[in-house]
Amino acid sequence: MAVKQTQQKKSPGINWVEIGKLTLLVLLVSGLAVGLAKPLAGQLQQHLGLDLRGGVHVVFEAVPTPDTPVTADSITRLAATIRNRVDALGVTEPVIQPEGTRRVVVELPGVKDPEEAVRLIGRTAHLEFKTEDGKTVLTGKDLKDARAQLNPASNEPEVLLKFDKEGARIFGQVTTANVKKRIAIYLDDKLLTAPVVDEPIPTGEAVIRGGYQTLEEAQREAVLLRSGALPVKVQLMEKRSVGPLLGKDSLERSLWAGIIGVALIFIFMILYYRLPGLVADLSLIVYGLIVVGIFLLIKATLTLPGIAGFILSIGMAVDANIIIYERLKEELKTGKTLRAAIDAGFHHAFRTILDANVTTLIAAAVLYYFGSGPIRGFAVTLSIGILTSMFTAITFTRFVLHLIARSRLILNPKAFGPGLGEVKA
């Protein structure tokens, strides 16, 4: 008697190990988003640009003279000198960049006293040491350092000067040859003091005293002396103040636009793509955390155009997920298993995503090369957003979808979109 044996293939059950990994991943991303949202927002507040924080926008133009013609090198050194002075003022996230062949644009976010800042930046500090016969023996170029301090004996403000090696050698010779004589110290042709040399000073250190009413005044002069003289004569061409109220209003509107836009995207993705849409929302959260982290890492200045570039890149990130999911649905309709459909869908979508993003990156590169200020900020934030969206869409989204497929937790075709038949693990 023939024994009829029937073999019934047992379908694999739910993989609880993969479900555990998936749960941990969701909890980790959700926890990071909730825990880091407020600290990251606070950090970003410290890197707002001029249009959001208020401040001053000034333009200096180099004026050629017979002794100092304006060249590309002199403009570069002019920008460097201005940056040194701005850094000494303690201004955060300043923008200092050449414009054209003769101008330097300076933007100082958060400056409370723009008149004082402009006066210090544009002022030419020219230090001279002159003997009684009017001969200049030392200038600011021989200076190594300048610091304000209070005289321990009289408690009067003064500026301590330290000369470099060559300056110290000359100063020692001059003081040796002028004992009991005066050496006058001029700053911008203004006599500060004319002390009598009691004895030779070979140490290369000297003190300017008697010309300062307050320590703050001495500190301002020390900043000018440390920064050195401007390499060319400059003229203030434009000074424009930006009110913080305008920036605050614009920032609030931008934030609300971003929040509403992201919320609508999240809802749309879940309603239209269902489970893959939920994965896309999770991927967008990871994308946002990475982008903000990069902004803080490179100390990017956030302006309105920069925020616009960031929001635009969110759209690009969503677009990448939509392309992937449309390919995924097509593959599922052919009867492939979920894991095979994921691999095939990502393979077919990658070329389309790459082409679209590369063309946008080329446009951003052109904007950065030919643009300036906020235009460059827009190009930078857009580029960072695009590269990050490609990374999260191709790696994180794919990883989570495979995790779901291996877990065999959800195989209902309705969870992957309308019009699909059986979904096999």
Side-chain angles (χ1 to χ4, degrees):
M1 182 174 66
V3 178
K4 186 177 180 181
Q5 296 181 340
T6 56
Q7 293 181 348
Q8 185 174 2
K9 188 178 291 185
K10 186 178 181 180
S11 59
I14 295 175
N15 189 330
W16 292 103
V17 175
E18 299 299 327
I19 291 176
K21 293 179 182 178
L22 181 63
T23 304
L24 285 176
L25 182 65
V26 173
L27 290 176
L28 177 63
V29 174
S30 303
L32 287 175
V34 173
L36 294 179
K38 193 171 182 179
L40 289 177
Q43 289 289 324
L44 287 177
Q45 290 279 345
Q46 305 298 321
H47 297 271
L48 298 180
L50 184 70
D51 53 351
L52 298 176
R53 195 176 174 189
V56 63
H57 169 97
V58 295
V59 178
F60 291 107
E61 182 172 289
V63 180
T65 63
D67 295 330
T68 55
V70 176
T71 63
D73 180 64
S74 61
I75 292 297
T76 302
R77 288 189 293 125
L78 174 63
T81 304
I82 291 177
R83 178 169 291 281
N84 287 335
R85 295 183 177 185
V86 170
D87 290 344
L89 291 173
V91 178
T92 57
E93 309 301 329
V95 175
I96 302 163
Q97 58 189 6
E99 182 182 77
T101 57
R102 289 187 178 184
R103 294 188 173 186
V104 174
V105 176
V106 182
E107 293 184 345
L108 307 176
V111 172
K112 296 180 180 178
D113 188 354
E115 296 292 340
E116 177 66 11
V118 170
R119 188 185 70 80
L120 281 174
I121 292 170
R123 184 175 168 185
T124 302
H126 184 55
L127 185 70
E128 290 180 294
F129 289 74
K130 294 185 177 181
T131 55
E132 289 184 349
D133 58 0
K135 180 181 178 182
T136 300
V137 291
L138 285 168
T139 64
K141 70 179 181 59
D142 302 306
L143 200 60
K144 182 180 179 181
D145 195 11
R147 299 287 170 185
Q149 63 183 19
L150 292 175
N151 187 292
S154 62
N155 204 34
E156 292 181 351
E158 60 186 22
V159 176
L160 173 65
L161 304 179
K162 292 184 179 180
F163 295 100
D164 58 17
K165 185 177 180 180
E166 180 64 14
R169 185 186 66 79
I170 296 174
F171 193 64
Q173 293 176 350
V174 171
T175 52
T176 301
N178 291 273
V179 175
K180 303 303 178 186
K181 294 182 180 178
R182 293 183 181 275
I183 293 182
I185 303 175
Y186 290 86
L187 184 63
D188 294 341
D189 298 325
K190 176 185 176 183
L191 178 64
L192 291 181
T193 184
V196 176
V197 179
D198 295 326
E199 57 184 358
I201 304 175
T203 60
E205 294 187 2
V207 174
I208 302 176
R209 64 169 64 100
Y212 310 109
Q213 300 298 322
T214 62
L215 181 62
E216 288 72 21
E217 184 181 348
Q219 287 173 335
R220 286 195 295 269
E221 298 291 1
V223 168
L224 288 174
L225 294 171
R226 286 201 304 271
S227 303
L230 298 179
V232 291
K233 183 180 178 181
V234 298
Q235 183 177 358
L236 180 62
M237 300 300 294
E238 179 185 354
K239 183 183 71 176
R240 176 163 48 88
S241 296
V242 178
L245 292 179
L246 176 62
K248 183 180 179 181
D249 182 64
S250 301
L251 179 60
E252 289 178 351
R253 289 173 180 268
S254 301
L255 287 177
W256 275 113
I259 291 171
I260 293 173
V262 170
L264 290 176
I265 288 172
F266 276 32
I267 294 172
F268 169 79
M269 293 299 290
I270 293 175
L271 291 178
Y272 195 80
Y273 291 103
R274 302 177 184 180
L275 179 61
L278 198 60
V279 175
D281 293 347
L282 196 67
S283 179
L284 284 175
I285 294 174
V286 175
Y287 156 83
L289 292 174
I290 294 176
V291 169
V292 173
I294 294 175
F295 286 170
L296 295 177
L297 187 66
I298 65 173
K299 298 181 179 179
T301 301
L302 282 183
T303 61
L304 279 178
I307 293 176
F310 175 47
I311 293 175
L312 183 59
S313 69
I314 294 176
M316 300 291 289
V318 176
D319 188 49
N321 281 283
I322 289 175
I323 294 172
I324 291 170
Y325 292 159
E326 289 299 325
R327 300 289 87 77
L328 172 63
K329 288 168 64 177
E330 290 176 359
E331 298 298 332
L332 286 174
K333 287 178 181 177
T334 64
K336 291 182 179 177
T337 64
L338 180 57
R339 297 176 65 178
I342 293 170
D343 287 333
F346 273 86
H347 176 73
H348 293 142
F350 177 74
R351 184 60 184 269
T352 305
I353 297 172
L354 184 65
D355 290 346
N357 288 336
V358 166
T359 53
T360 308
L361 284 173
I362 291 174
V366 173
L367 286 175
Y368 183 85
Y369 183 80
F370 290 103
S372 63
I375 302 300
R376 283 191 166 187
F378 172 81
V380 169
T381 55
L382 180 61
S383 300
I384 292 174
I386 289 173
L387 293 174
T388 306
S389 71
M390 287 186 65
F391 171 77
T392 54
I394 294 171
T395 60
F396 183 82
T397 303
R398 185 174 187 172
F399 174 75
V400 177
L401 286 175
H402 269 296
L403 208 56
I404 293 173
R406 290 197 299 271
S407 72
R408 295 185 290 275
L409 177 64
I410 300 175
L411 296 176
N412 189 331
K414 293 182 179 178
F416 294 87
L420 294 176
E422 181 186 5
V423 175
K424 295 174 287 186

